[in-house]
Every structure is written in structure tokens, then in C-alpha cells.
Amino acid sequence: MDIRQLRYFVRIVELGSLSRAAKQLYVAQPALSQQIAKLEEDVGKPLLVRSSKGVTPTDNGRALYHHACLILRQVDQAMSIAQAEHTTIQGMVSVGLPATTVAAIGVPLIQRIRERFPSILINVVEAMSGHIGQLIQQNQLDLAVLFASDLGEDLTVEPLMVEELFLFLPKHSDLVPPDRTSVTLEEVASLPLILPTSNHGLRKRIAIEFESRAMHINTVAEIDSLALLMNCVYENIGATIKPMGAIMQEGQRGRDWRCLPISDAQLRRSNFLYSLPPESCTTAATVVAGELKETVRELIENPQWRGFELTPQDKAQVVFAA
């Protein structure tokens, strides 16, 4: 088994096709097949199931794929360090962030890294939390922000912050009287709502609150794209329930919003920072994790934005320190 064979194998699994992988790798398909056959011979078990529709990994192949992704990332980082002309902290760090988290901390996080650690290449992957969870479980990310703390025993997880969920609608909307500074959950239930689809973590959190009070959600559209969802809300198609991050970049577009807390419901969402286990976490990834936590701390302390809170553990530590 060698690095070249692992690269070939990973690309075949990701593309699901020997022919497509051969084209991307600029390798003749017979030669590619020969390398995979040798890899299977070294392993002593079949790694791919071949059919007219393409190839899929066996259980052993899937296990090898996850470890191969980590190995290849470490090899690439080692080469980058070896080729560098100085000994500063460097390497590529991949961070998975949901869309509202990108809107809240994406720019300041990248600014911090560029100013403090210019030799670190930060790679931000924006996606739904479910997909981000899959990527870090497959060792394709170094860090991830997710909304559940039980993703996997092999990963390191720590509380990051708590977000309040608000009712959002544009300033020009007449769905809620202009003099109102908050709404009740029953009032929200009477509004047309634009929400993420039912497999989205935020939607599940909202649904639990409504179901606990035997209330029905008046959903008029389900959209998993944050940009499209907020565009539809701004066009007064309906209101939405989101954390503050949903509108933190909206001022640059010249769009004004109303942000109404829900007075009789504790609608909160916990955020957790995931990282690879210590033996797999690079120095650069550890540095970026620290900068990410510092970026969140500054966000919580910023009086311009509300709805970002310390986790209960952090609050207790602050009180004790005082």
C-alpha cells in the first residue's frame, strides 16, 4: 500500500466511477484498475463493488476511505511544512460552518487568522449542519460548529455559545403591528412562516416548541438556502424564525429588519465546537480553534448584536471568577 494508491482509491470512492476517476487523475483506466487490484491484494479483502452503475465501497472499503482521507490530509500538511522557508505555524485548516454561523463570525474569523497567522490557509465549508457533521466524521474537516453534542465518541466536542431565536420580518412588513417589540408563540403560529425543511436542526428545534403546546406551524414555504429564505422574507412572503446571524450581513445590502423576541418561549439553540481527536489535530487546527472561540467571545460581548450568550458552564465560571 502506498500514498498513490490511497489517492486513487479516495478519488474513485468520491466519484463512484473508475472511468471518471481515471479522467480526473490523468491515468489510463486499465492502469488505475491494476493499482486498485494491488491495493485489494495488499489488504486481503475486496474494497469496491463494481456494477453497471459504477462502483461503491464495501464495508472494509468505507473504513479504509475514512482513514485514507485523514492520512492524505496529514501527508499534504507535512509536505507543506517541509517545503516552507520558516518555522511559523502553517498548514491548511478546514472549518465547517452552518450558514448563520458564517454570517455571524465568518469574516472576523478569517481576518483574525490573516492578521495573526498569515501562513495558515483557512478553508471554510458552508453547509447544513447534517452535512458538516458527516464531513468531520469522515475526517474531511479539522473543525466544525454544530448544534448537537452527541455526534461521535471519536471527536472532541466543547460548548461554544447559545443563540436566541427571533421572529424576523422586514421593516416594511404589516404582518405584525409596528409598535410591537415582542410576540407570543401563539401570535407567531398565526403568521405565514418560511422555515428550513423538516430535516434541518433549526426546524426540529422550532417544531418541538410548537408541538409541546399543541400548536400548528403555518408554513408557507420550506427553504434550506439562507440567502433565498431571507430574500423571500424581505419580499413579505412570510416571516421566519432565525438566530441573529441571519441578518448580520443584511445591513450591507441596505435592507432593514425587525427582530422580535418571543416573549413566552425559551427558544434557544446551543452551539458546539467539534475537532478531530488530539492525535489527529494539527497545531494549525488547534490555533484556529482558539481564534474561533475568541471570535465568538467578542461577538457575545459586542453590544451591537443581541441574542448571543455564554454557555451555562461559561456563565458559572464568569460568576465564580468575579
Side-chain angles (χ1 to χ4, degrees):
M1 181 187 299
D2 59 33
I3 294 298
R4 180 179 60 174
Q5 289 172 339
L6 290 180
R7 291 193 189 278
Y8 289 172
F9 176 72
V10 165
R11 187 54 55 88
I12 291 169
V13 172
E14 290 176 345
L15 295 177
S17 166
L18 278 164
S19 59
R20 287 201 295 270
K23 289 180 181 178
Q24 283 203 10
L25 294 166
Y26 300 101
V27 177
Q29 187 170 336
L32 185 60
S33 298
Q34 184 178 13
Q35 289 294 328
I36 297 304
K38 188 175 186 306
L39 179 61
E40 290 179 318
E41 181 182 346
D42 292 341
V43 172
K45 293 181 181 294
L47 300 173
L48 298 173
V49 177
R50 298 155 176 83
S51 69
S52 58
K53 296 181 179 179
V55 295
T56 56
T58 63
D59 289 342
N60 295 97
R62 195 172 294 109
L64 176 62
Y65 169 77
H66 296 324
H67 287 285
C69 288
L70 176 59
I71 291 169
L72 293 174
R73 282 170 55 79
Q74 291 176 329
V75 168
D76 290 341
Q77 289 172 348
M79 287 296 294
S80 176
I81 292 171
Q83 293 168 351
E85 297 179 357
H86 46 77
T87 58
T88 57
I89 298 174
Q90 56 194 288
M92 184 179 76
V93 179
S94 293
V95 184
L97 301 176
T100 51
T101 310
V102 168
I105 68 169
V107 171
L109 173 62
I110 292 175
Q111 286 175 332
R112 290 181 68 92
I113 299 301
R114 290 298 303 144
E115 291 171 2
R116 293 168 170 78
F117 303 96
S119 295
I120 292 178
L121 173 61
I122 185 167
N123 167 232
V124 175
V125 178
E126 178 184 329
M128 289 178 57
S129 57
H131 182 55
I132 292 172
Q134 291 176 354
L135 290 177
I136 195 165
Q137 284 180 310
Q138 295 169 359
N139 294 323
Q140 295 188 48
L141 295 173
D142 297 290
L143 305 168
V145 174
L146 298 169
F147 308 120
S149 60
D150 57 353
L151 187 61
E153 296 180 358
D154 294 335
L155 300 170
T156 300
V157 58
E158 55 186 309
L160 187 62
M161 66 174 169
V162 176
E163 295 174 292
E164 182 178 357
L165 304 181
F166 299 91
L167 178 75
F168 285 106
L169 61 164
K171 276 282 182 68
H172 59 265
S173 173
D174 58 359
L175 290 175
V176 177
D179 60 334
R180 295 295 302 275
T181 57
S182 66
V183 290
T184 65
L185 199 66
E186 185 175 4
E187 289 172 325
V188 175
S190 69
L191 299 174
L193 294 178
I194 304 175
L195 298 173
T197 55
S198 57
N199 60 351
H200 195 287
L202 179 63
R203 175 66 176 275
K204 292 176 182 177
R205 175 67 188 89
I206 295 169
I208 289 172
E209 197 69 34
F210 277 83
E211 290 169 3
S212 68
R213 307 192 188 194
M215 292 182 183
H216 174 71
I217 303 176
N218 180 21
T219 309
V220 297
E222 296 182 330
I223 303 172
D224 280 337
S225 162
L226 177 63
L228 177 58
L229 188 152
M230 297 307 290
N231 286 341
C232 289
V233 172
Y234 194 77
E235 293 300 323
N236 216 24
I237 298 173
T240 193
I241 301 173
K242 288 281 185 182
M244 186 62 71
I247 64 163
M248 289 183 65
Q249 305 299 322
E250 289 290 310
Q252 300 173 7
R253 305 177 187 177
R255 306 201 301 195
D256 293 325
W257 296 85
R258 295 180 66 191
C259 169
L260 302 177
I262 301 171
S263 59
D264 61 343
Q266 287 293 314
L267 268 175
R268 301 287 191 275
R269 180 173 71 175
S270 296
N271 289 236
F272 299 90
L273 177 61
Y274 280 82
S275 57
L276 295 178
E279 64 271 15
S280 304
C281 196
T282 65
T283 301
T286 301
V287 165
V288 172
E291 294 300 316
L292 191 153
K293 287 185 283 189
E294 185 64 17
T295 304
V296 168
R297 185 190 65 77
E298 291 184 353
L299 174 66
I300 293 171
E301 295 176 352
N302 188 343
Q304 180 182 357
W305 302 108
R306 54 185 171 140
F308 299 104
E309 307 168 3
L310 294 170
T311 63
Q313 298 96 314
D314 290 336
K315 285 182 180 178
Q317 290 175 5
V318 169
V319 172
F320 182 76

